[in-house]
């Protein structure tokens, strides 16, 4: 009989796919706001700004629910980057650069995944704060502390670039390195 | 008598046609009937005098009304006839005579390097240099109110821009008491006269986090821009001079808080940058001009390893590096045959399943479980992946340790 292993719980899968939709929309609308091109009436800046704002609030909700879920269930232990992962990360890089035949053995996620997911956690919080500041200026300068909005705008852009660089990497690696994990992200199960 | 609320309403509703409106003047005059006109010292430090000249262009009230009916301008480098010892004497005398009574209007930055010798207002009777730093420290403590007029005095502006050879700082950096910032490069006369009027009639106006009066600097240009519809509909100018939204050629309207779209430039010669088909450069912003440049790009440049580069180039660079990295790796994976192996291996049932290997690279021989078969899931792992109603609190307490040694399997 074929044995199956349950590696992605339902909440995890829901978090993943809802974030996928939101982050995709955020990236597209965000870079469109930064570099508007003429797409006719199909997609204009007012639509992009609306999508960006709406998706940002939804994604923030998803993010904080995700954080709560990981705290309560202890699943953050699978994701956070630990110092001892640094050595594994070296081995993983060697594997990615074809200097090793096999990657280091790992738990649920490998060292590279842990590094990227942990960075996403911090970068998202950064984008959340800078995004809120940028949203607040819709109501005039209502902040109680002096902030140069132009700088905030620039750092928000840099934060988004981190996602622009790592999200394609994430997709590429899951497709080529471990498609079974992608399957598990739909069904929850992998075959043993 | 005009109430404060009515004043704010008038000042905010003021359009180009109305300016600060002539209805203000009688009230202003009325407020000082039988009283001494409030003394004002206008101190010009490291400045191009643009702010004074701009204020001299005020229409309602005009400069004559302002000087003869409203205020008593005791000292002004540009306006006064006296010079040399006579002028400096007037300054010293006014500060002593009107102690705690006068309004100090400071224009320009205060240079600090070389003991402040980069900027001076004149000489002492003994021939020694009377620096800007000395002048502001002499006049500010005894002033009733201090207004920093123009972006230089408020935030540093062009005179404190990189590389700032004179070590210039804005007024609030060298003054202990509250400074009301009225920025602008140059400042709009209405902002100065309006703030001055508010000070005379009702005291300190409501200020934002940058100490700018909210009545003029409360709303963002972008929110009441006459070309907002062009922005929303994606009608963008690609060169200055086109009658479209100037966002793509670097308009700083979305990050600039001021009432230019309705206030417009002085009186009957109505226009303002966007209406003149050039982008707003954000001259009232605290990081003008360094943070606002380049004026024709909407994000600032960045210094990468000593090279000045634009935000756009960084973005394109990140996209290119990601694409090139993935492309190269994909090609190499195909060439070495790894791709075929991982694709087939990735979906094939694994015999070894649970424990694949030891931790070879970290020299750590402890075995880590890769996958746990469903039948064997129990204890902590069961709770981790199967959230049950009852166990939640307990699990949370068990698992609260963040960066310490978590309970590993």
């Amino acid at each position: 009989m074929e044995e199956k292993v349950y590696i992605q719980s339902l909440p995890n899968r829901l978090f993943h796919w809802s974030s996928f939709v939101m982050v995709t929309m955020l990236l597209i609308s965000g870079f469109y706001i930064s570099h508007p091109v003429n797409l006719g009436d199909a997609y204009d800046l007012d639509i992009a700004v609306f999508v960006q704002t709406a998706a940002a609030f939804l994604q923030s909700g998803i993010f904080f629910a995700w954080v709560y879920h990981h705290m309560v269930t202890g699943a953050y232990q699978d994701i956070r980057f630990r110092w001892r992962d640094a050595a594994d990360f070296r081995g993983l890089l060697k594997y990615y650069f074809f200097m090793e035949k096999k990657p280091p053995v790992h738990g649920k996620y490998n060292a590279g995944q842990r590094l990227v997911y942990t960075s996403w956690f911090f970068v998202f919080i950064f984008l959340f704060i800078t995004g809120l500041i940028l949203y607040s200026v819709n109501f005039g300068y209502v902040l109680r502390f002096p902030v140069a909005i132009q700088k905030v705008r620039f750092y928000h852009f840099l934060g988004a670039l981190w996602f622009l660089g790592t999200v394609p990497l994430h997709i590429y690696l899951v497709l080529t390195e471990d498609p079974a994990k992608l399957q598990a992200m739909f069904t929850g199960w992998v075959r043993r | 008598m005009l109430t404060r609320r009515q004043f704010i309403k008038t000042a905010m509703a003021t359009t180009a046609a109305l300016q600060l409106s002539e209805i203000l003047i009688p009230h202003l005059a009325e407020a000082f009937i039988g009283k001494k006109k409030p003394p004002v010292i206008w101190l010009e430090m490291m400045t191009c005098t643009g702010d004074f000249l701009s204020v001299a262009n005020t229409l309602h009230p005009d400069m004559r009304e302002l000087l003869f009916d409203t205020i008593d301008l005791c000292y002004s480098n540009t306006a006064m006839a006296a010079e040399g010892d006579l002028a400096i004497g007037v300054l010293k005398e006014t500060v002593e005579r009107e102690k705690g009574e006068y309004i100090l209007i400071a224009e320009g930055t205060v240079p600090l390097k070389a003991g402040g010798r980069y900027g001076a207002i004149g000489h002492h009777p003994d021939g020694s240099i009377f620096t800007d730093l000395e002048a502001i420290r002499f006049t500010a403590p005894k002033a009733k109110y201090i207004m920093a007029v123009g972006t230089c005095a408020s935030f540093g502006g062009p005179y404190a821009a990189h590389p700032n050879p004179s070590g210039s700082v804005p007024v609030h950096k060298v003054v202990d008491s509250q400074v009301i910032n009225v920025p602008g490069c140059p400042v709009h006369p209405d902002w100065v006269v309006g703030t001055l009027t508010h000070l005379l009639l009702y005291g300190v106006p409501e200020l934002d986090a940058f100490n700018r009066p909210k009545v003029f600097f409360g709303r963002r240009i972008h929110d009441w821009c006459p070309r907002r519809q062009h922005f929303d509909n994606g009608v963008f100018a690609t060169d200055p001079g086109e009658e479209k939204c100037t966002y793509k050629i670097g308009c700083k309207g979305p990050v600039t808080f001021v009432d230019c779209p309705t206030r417009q430039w002085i009186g009957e010669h109505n226009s303002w940058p966007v209406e003149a088909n050039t982008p707003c450069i954000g001259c009232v912003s605290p990081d003008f001009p360094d943070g606002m440049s380049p004026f024709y790009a909407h994000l600032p440049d960045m210094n990468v390893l000593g090279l000045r580069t634009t935000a756009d180039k960084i973005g394109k660079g990140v996209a290119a590096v990601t694409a090139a990295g993935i492309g190269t790796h994909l090609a190499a994976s195909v060439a070495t045959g790894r791709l075929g192996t991982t694709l087939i291996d990735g979906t094939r049932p694994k015999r070894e399943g649970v424990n694949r290997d030891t931790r070879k690279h970290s020299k750590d021989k402890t075995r880590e479980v890769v996958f746990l078969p469903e039948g064997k899931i129990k204890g902590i792992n069961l709770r981790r992946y199967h959230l049950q109603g009852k166990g939640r609190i307990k699990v949370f307490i068990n698992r609260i340790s963040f960066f310490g040694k978590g309970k590993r399997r």
Side-chain angles (χ1 to χ4, degrees), chain A residues 33 36 76 78 95 105 180 191, chain B residues 247 338 346-347 357 384 401:
Chain A
I33 292 168
Y76 68 89
D78 286 331
Y95 168 72
V105 165
R191 286 185 295 172
Chain B
Y247 177 71
R338 180 187 282 184
T347 49
D357 223 337
R384 181 184 298 183
S401 66

Side-chain angles (χ1 to χ4, degrees), chain B residues 203-261:
Chain B
V204 179
E206 204 185 339
L207 304 173
D208 69 5
F210 288 107
N211 280 337
R212 299 177 293 196
K214 274 187 181 172
V215 56
F216 302 114
F217 301 92
R219 275 176 72 187
R220 191 167 60 144
I221 283 187
H222 187 58
D223 292 331
W224 48 2
C225 179
R227 304 247 171 113
R228 178 60 185 260
Q229 201 59 34
H230 289 331
F231 174 86
D232 284 344
N233 293 335
V235 182
F236 294 112
T238 50
D239 294 290
E242 291 175 38
E243 221 175 302
K244 295 171 184 171
C245 171
T246 53
Y247 177 71
K248 277 177 95 168
I249 48 172
C251 181
K252 303 298 185 299
V255 291
T256 304
F257 299 83
V258 74
D259 59 4
C260 290

Side-chain angles (χ1 to χ4, degrees), chain A residues 15-27:
Chain A
F15 283 133
H16 180 268
W17 290 113
S18 53
S19 299
F20 165 78
V21 174
M22 292 305 154
V23 170
T24 309
M25 279 173 24
L26 280 171
L27 283 177

Side-chain angles (χ1 to χ4, degrees), chain A residues 35-52:
Chain A
H35 292 274
V37 285
N38 192 0
L39 299 175
D41 288 341
Y43 202 71
D44 277 339
L45 259 172
D46 53 349
I47 302 173
V49 170
F50 174 76
V51 169
Q52 169 85 189

Side-chain angles (χ1 to χ4, degrees), chain A residues 6-19 62 66 69-70 73 75 108-109 184-189, chain B residues 382-387:
Chain A
Y6 193 59
I7 59 165
Q8 297 293 3
S9 63
L10 183 66
N12 248 356
R13 281 176 278 151
L14 288 177
F15 283 133
H16 180 268
W17 290 113
S18 53
S19 299
I62 294 165
W66 177 85
H69 175 261
H70 277 63
T73 59
K108 190 177 176 188
Y109 298 117
M185 208 27 116
F186 287 104
T187 63
W189 299 86
Chain B
L382 184 71
R383 277 183 275 166
R384 181 184 298 183
Y385 298 119
H386 298 261
L387 191 62

Side-chain angles (χ1 to χ4, degrees), chain A residues 28-90:
Chain A
I28 293 172
S29 63
F31 286 109
Y32 183 84
I33 292 168
S34 181
H35 292 274
V37 285
N38 192 0
L39 299 175
D41 288 341
Y43 202 71
D44 277 339
L45 259 172
D46 53 349
I47 302 173
V49 170
F50 174 76
V51 169
Q52 169 85 189
T53 318
F57 277 114
L58 285 171
Q59 176 55 32
S60 303
I62 294 165
F63 174 78
F64 289 111
W66 177 85
V67 170
Y68 175 75
H69 175 261
H70 277 63
M71 299 258 292
V72 168
T73 59
Y76 68 89
Q77 302 249 15
D78 286 331
I79 286 178
R80 73 186 172 92
F81 188 80
R82 305 155 301 181
W83 287 119
R84 59 179 152 138
D85 291 319
D88 273 7
F89 186 64
R90 251 182 61 219

